[in-house]
Amino acid sequence: MIDLASVTEPTKVGAALLAGTGLRGGAMFEARTRGAGDAVDVLVDLLGGRESLLLVDNCEHLIDAVAHLVTALLSRCPGLSVLATSREPLAVDGEALVPLGPLALPGPDDGVEQTRRAESVRLFTERAAAVLPGFEVDEATLPQVRQVVRGLDGMPLALELAAARLRTLSLPELADGLSDRFRLLTTGSRTALPRHRTLGAVIAWSWDLLGEHERTVAERLSVLPGGVTPASATALCAGTAVPAADVPELLAGLVDRSLLHLAPEPGRYRMLETLREYGTDRLAEKGELATVRDLAADHFAGLMAHYDPQLRGPGQSAAMRVIGAEYDNTLAALRRRCDTGDAPGALSLALDLTWYWQMLGRTSDAAHWLGEALAVPGGVPTAERDCAHAIYLLHRGDTRPVTASRDAADDRAGILELADRLLAYPELPGPYGALAALPLAFLQAERTQGEKTTPAIIERMAGGDDLWLAGLARMFRAQFAENAGELDRTRADVEAALACFRQVGDRWGQSEALPMRARLRQYDGDLDGALADLREARSPADEFGSLSLADTVFGDLRWIDLHIRRGDTDLAIALIDSARERARRTRAPAMLLLVDAWEAGFRVRLGELDRARELLDTAEKDLSDGIPFPGDHARTLLGTARASFCLRTGDQAGAQKALATAYTAALRTRDLPILALVAVHTAALADARELHRRAAVRLGAASRLRGTHDRTDPQVRDLTRSGHAALGADSFAAAYAQGWELDPRTAATEADPVRLLADHRT
């Protein structure tokens, strides 16, 4: 075992190896008095005739001398093996690298048992228990333990130093103090080498071994939280003595020295958070931190301006990958724009991200960052600013609890005021103009009772020369038409939107429009066609990577509904389980309630009433008035599922009460297909009371609200068979037609279960 930590001169490496071999007395004196080449001869004489293993520790500060000596020995000693530890390879023939990265970290959502098994947690727990007997990871300590080990990147020395601080700090104090980790972790073993006694010292040891250009690159790329590429590293080194052509080689050298590691994406590198903090401290000491952060902000603002337009054409997938990879760096750039008071720059960068946020369903990110950009003092009124303000208010309404009623009312008033101003512009800038204008136009039409008249700006976009914009306008129009139960308009616009998106090569647009066509095909009885559309829609989503969990859950529900209609019970159950797990990870209560409600109704149909009761009881207990979108959709589904359960158990009064709750929630959604669901369940209540004609009328009213007949819904088919048996085909058809011929407003009143009770008494 040869420890080179205390050796400072390259010429002393041979002597250190001789000392490590155990030579004594005269032999050692003779070896020391001979030259370096003679030292190699002595070692060869000693090691050449037997199998030996040299453990050469701490080589990085003497790397060239160790490499030459080891090469000389290996070429002359066939039985010799060398195990060297170093922060960079020896780079000699025959070397096999075994990278030792940080210890494995627990996942951000791991429970107690999973967290305990993580290597970093095991080390921290063992060392913590040594200074604080009885210490363990449980539900109480889990959040802080996870914060500590993740905050220290699983670095063994850092974890040992942190555990030692538990002699004087509580675990919460330790976790909170990691924001100043270099001052916090300053105590270690008195017998350890000086550079191993503090976290700062161990990193400084590696930093000081770097060449001047390597040190410059390492310090400058430390400002990037999302990793670095040769292009971004070059941009950050502008104005320094580092030649741009040398940057790729310098990055490779930092990987060799364990200060960077390769990311999963090709051509990308990452630096541990602890090392990043050290690097930014060095920049701050030199007075260069602000300059480097400005260079980074300029680089990523330019990158987003370049790739944002490509999100709407055949280069979409590549642009998504680049923006996704640079997302954390771009948000850091946006934060820098805000912090430096660059109002135009902050707004421009935020607007360049709006379509990316839209594609991935990141409404909370959009609301937060648009709000931050708009809050920067000095912004002047422009069409761009109005667009940003509109998108901000629309997204904020989707993410805020409905209990904030005063703020919600203020937002709605602000949105309507913006709509008047924004829609008056002769032309709106960028895709964010359409993103703001399309929903605002429909809100404005609704306010003026103009639901039947498509706003002029929508007509202009839908019929314009810009195919992508026409496809988007058609898709928005189809969505609003579907909510209004106008399925003929929906059909035409969905097909037109698909044609536009296919022509411009926008696969995301196709993946958004295809599920709408799949639903239409379900209504028409074409379940195979619906299945084909959902499969085609899933392909681009898989290609883009992770969509938002909420969007994925909504997609799961479409698949579950289709499997139920096709009679694929096992597939539906399996998908329900995976959808529930994803819904939990969204941390949005309404998403989990949606899945529970869907499953509860399905379990009632299967006759599994105990499971249905368990789901309903739990979901209803968790339901609160403060749940934002899709809270009212969840209330409607829970109410109809509870009504089905009550009808199955003979509790008609309970079904009546549950449907009243569902009806009230459905009215608030302003979503006629959701109201149609309540009408179908009201028909089921009428059927249970043997009011078969009224049941048929309400089935027809449900179809009017939906905008079409639903030929594959199992409950509608069951009620239709029951109505035929009780009334005869002709009488049932006449009653159904009575409901179908109602106007939507009157059809909505037929869905009211209170109305059913009043009709019965009359």
Side-chain angles (χ1 to χ4, degrees):
M1 169 69 181
I2 298 97
D3 186 355
L4 299 179
S6 60
V7 180
T8 58
E9 296 296 327
T11 57
K12 302 298 185 184
V13 172
L17 263 67
L18 286 169
T21 61
L23 288 177
R24 294 290 183 268
M28 185 63 191
F29 175 78
E30 180 185 357
R32 282 180 171 172
T33 59
R34 298 166 69 174
D38 291 333
V40 173
D41 291 337
V42 173
L43 285 166
V44 170
D45 290 342
L46 177 67
L47 304 172
R50 57 196 174 103
E51 290 189 356
S52 305
L53 172 65
L54 291 183
L55 304 179
V56 188
D57 197 20
N58 295 299
C59 300
E60 55 271 354
H61 60 303
L62 302 164
I63 197 73
D64 288 336
V66 174
H68 284 92
L69 182 56
V70 166
T71 299
L73 290 175
L74 289 171
S75 65
R76 297 171 62 184
C77 302
L80 175 64
S81 296
V82 177
L83 176 60
T85 72
S86 176
R87 299 194 184 166
E88 60 179 299
L90 298 184
V92 299
D93 290 342
E95 182 178 31
L97 299 181
V98 183
L100 297 178
L103 298 178
L105 297 170
D109 299 317
D110 284 355
V112 171
E113 290 304 319
Q114 287 176 294
T115 299
R116 284 175 176 170
R117 290 194 292 270
E119 294 172 353
S120 56
V121 175
R122 287 168 55 196
L123 175 63
F124 179 76
T125 304
E126 289 172 6
R127 298 301 188 265
V131 300
L132 197 66
F135 181 89
E136 63 178 359
V137 181
D138 54 25
E139 291 292 348
T141 61
L142 175 63
Q144 287 85 23
V145 169
R146 195 159 49 202
Q147 183 179 348
V148 167
V149 299
R150 291 180 68 85
L152 294 174
D153 299 306
M155 296 172 63
L157 176 63
L159 294 173
E160 299 220 14
L161 294 173
R165 290 308 306 268
L166 290 176
R167 293 188 183 96
T168 55
L169 296 176
S170 69
L171 181 60
E173 288 173 327
L174 176 64
D176 291 341
L178 288 183
S179 59
D180 198 8
R181 68 193 80 186
F182 293 111
R183 290 184 177 87
L184 180 71
L185 304 183
T186 57
T187 58
S189 170
R190 289 191 179 91
T191 62
L193 293 169
R195 72 172 188 272
H196 286 166
R197 293 177 190 168
T198 73
L199 183 59
V202 75
I203 297 175
W205 167 261
S206 296
W207 221 265
D208 292 342
L209 294 175
L210 298 175
E212 182 181 353
H213 287 175
E214 288 175 323
R215 196 176 299 119
T216 298
V217 173
E219 289 169 357
R220 292 198 160 218
L221 61 84
S222 70
V223 304
L224 300 180
V228 62
T229 64
S232 56
T234 301
L236 266 59
C237 291
T240 70
V242 177
D246 292 352
V247 168
E249 184 178 348
L250 291 168
L251 290 174
L254 292 174
V255 173
D256 285 342
R257 287 158 178 76
S258 304
L259 291 174
L260 286 181
H261 61 270
L262 291 172
E265 309 92 340
R268 192 169 196 84
Y269 308 87
R270 291 190 178 274
M271 180 180 280
L272 296 179
E273 286 298 303
T274 304
L275 299 177
R276 284 206 321 108
E277 185 177 331
Y278 184 86
T280 55
D281 286 349
R282 293 286 297 261
L283 286 173
E285 290 170 5
K286 296 178 179 181
E288 297 177 358
L289 184 56
T291 298
V292 177
R293 283 181 168 159
D294 286 338
L295 286 172
D298 291 344
H299 174 73
F300 290 105
L303 202 68
M304 293 306 108
H306 173 74
Y307 279 104
D308 170 58
Q310 297 183 36
L311 292 175
R312 294 172 290 282
Q316 187 175 74
S317 296
M320 285 285 284
R321 284 193 295 271
V322 172
I323 297 175
E326 300 293 4
Y327 187 65
D328 289 341
N329 289 332
T330 302
L331 294 186
L334 183 50
R335 169 50 60 203
R336 180 65 181 170
R337 290 278 197 256
C338 294
D339 290 346
T340 56
D342 182 1
L347 190 68
S348 176
L349 180 50
L351 286 171
D352 281 339
L353 285 167
T354 52
W355 194 250
Y356 179 77
W357 287 326
Q358 176 72 16
M359 291 175 71
L360 294 185
R362 294 187 176 182
T363 55
S364 59
D365 281 10
H368 173 78
W369 288 106
L370 285 168
E372 292 290 296
L374 289 165
V376 178
V380 297
T382 61
E384 287 82 1
R385 190 172 183 84
D386 281 344
C387 289
H389 195 189
I391 298 169
Y392 161 68
L393 291 176
L394 290 166
H395 285 313
R396 190 168 78 154
D398 286 344
T399 57
R400 190 176 48 211
V402 296
T403 48
S405 55
R406 178 177 298 179
D407 288 344
D410 290 344
D411 277 3
R412 184 166 181 81
I415 287 172
L416 293 174
E417 179 185 344
L418 268 172
D420 292 336
R421 186 164 70 247
L422 196 61
L423 300 178
Y425 284 108
E427 189 172 349
L428 292 172
Y432 43 82
L435 197 56
L438 291 171
L440 287 183
F442 285 105
L443 286 173
Q444 189 185 60
E446 179 183 309
R447 179 182 57 169
T448 58
Q449 302 299 314
E451 297 92 334
K452 294 293 184 182
T453 303
T454 303
I457 191 169
I458 307 296
E459 294 289 4
R460 189 164 67 245
M461 289 181 182
D465 295 332
D466 187 323
L467 281 177
W468 180 83
L469 200 56
L472 185 69
R474 294 272 193 165
M475 188 170 71
F476 266 86
R477 195 164 68 180
Q479 290 169 343
F480 278 89
E482 182 182 27
N483 282 356
E486 299 170 4
L487 268 291
D488 288 340
R489 289 175 57 192
T490 303
R491 292 176 196 278
D493 278 335
V494 166
E495 292 296 343
L498 277 171
C500 290
F501 288 138
R502 282 177 173 149
Q503 191 166 345
V504 299
D506 183 345
R507 300 190 66 203
W508 175 87
Q510 296 172 54
S511 72
E512 288 291 296
L514 283 165
M516 298 174 67
R517 191 173 73 176
R519 186 177 294 113
L520 296 172
R521 287 180 163 180
Q522 284 183 184
Y523 292 153
D524 295 339
D526 181 11
L527 295 181
D528 289 340
L531 182 63
D533 279 346
L534 289 185
R535 282 176 174 163
E536 185 181 350
R538 187 163 59 183
S539 177
D542 291 344
E543 180 182 327
F544 297 143
S546 299
L547 299 175
S548 74
L549 282 169
D551 283 348
T552 305
V553 173
F554 280 124
D556 288 342
L557 293 178
R558 294 189 191 100
W559 278 95
I560 292 166
D561 183 37
L562 180 57
H563 287 319
I564 290 172
R565 290 169 183 259
R566 290 173 61 88
D568 301 329
T569 301
D570 292 342
L571 289 174
I573 291 172
L575 194 51
I576 285 171
D577 291 338
S578 61
R580 175 171 290 103
E581 182 56 35
R582 277 190 277 269
R584 285 195 183 98
R585 299 206 308 273
T586 66
R587 304 187 187 281
M591 301 307 299
L592 186 56
L593 295 176
L594 279 175
V595 176
D596 285 347
W598 209 280
E599 182 182 357
F602 183 41
R603 297 293 180 180
V604 170
R605 286 198 59 80
L606 296 178
E608 299 174 6
L609 300 184
D610 289 342
R611 173 60 178 162
R613 181 189 291 109
E614 176 188 352
L615 288 164
L616 290 167
D617 290 348
T618 300
E620 288 167 354
K621 185 175 69 173
D622 294 340
L623 192 61
S624 71
D625 292 335
I627 297 178
F629 175 84
D632 282 326
H633 289 74
R635 290 182 184 88
T636 303
L637 286 175
L638 279 172
T640 56
R642 174 61 78 176
S644 292
F645 176 84
C646 289
L647 289 176
R648 190 67 177 260
T649 57
D651 180 8
Q652 293 185 11
Q656 174 93 24
K657 180 180 178 182
L659 283 175
T661 300
Y663 181 71
T664 301
L667 287 176
R668 287 197 298 264
T669 67
R670 301 188 180 191
D671 188 338
L672 293 191
I674 288 292
L675 195 57
L677 179 66
V678 179
V680 170
H681 282 77
T682 303
L685 177 60
D687 185 75
R689 291 176 172 168
E690 298 187 355
L691 304 173
H692 299 294
R693 185 179 179 283
R694 293 188 178 92
V697 171
R698 277 147 182 87
L699 281 180
S703 294
R704 169 48 54 217
L705 292 169
R706 193 184 305 113
T708 188
H709 313 291
D710 190 345
R711 295 178 173 83
T712 60
D713 180 88
Q715 187 175 25
V716 171
R717 289 203 307 260
D718 290 347
L719 290 171
T720 299
R721 282 193 293 267
S722 176
H724 281 173
L727 301 173
D730 291 342
S731 295
F732 174 85
Y736 182 94
Q738 181 181 334
W740 169 252
E741 291 164 3
L742 297 172
D743 64 87
R745 190 180 300 275
T746 306
T749 65
E750 293 293 332
D752 187 352
V754 175
R755 171 72 178 272
L756 177 66
L757 182 62
D759 287 352
H760 181 45
R761 287 173 177 167
T762 301

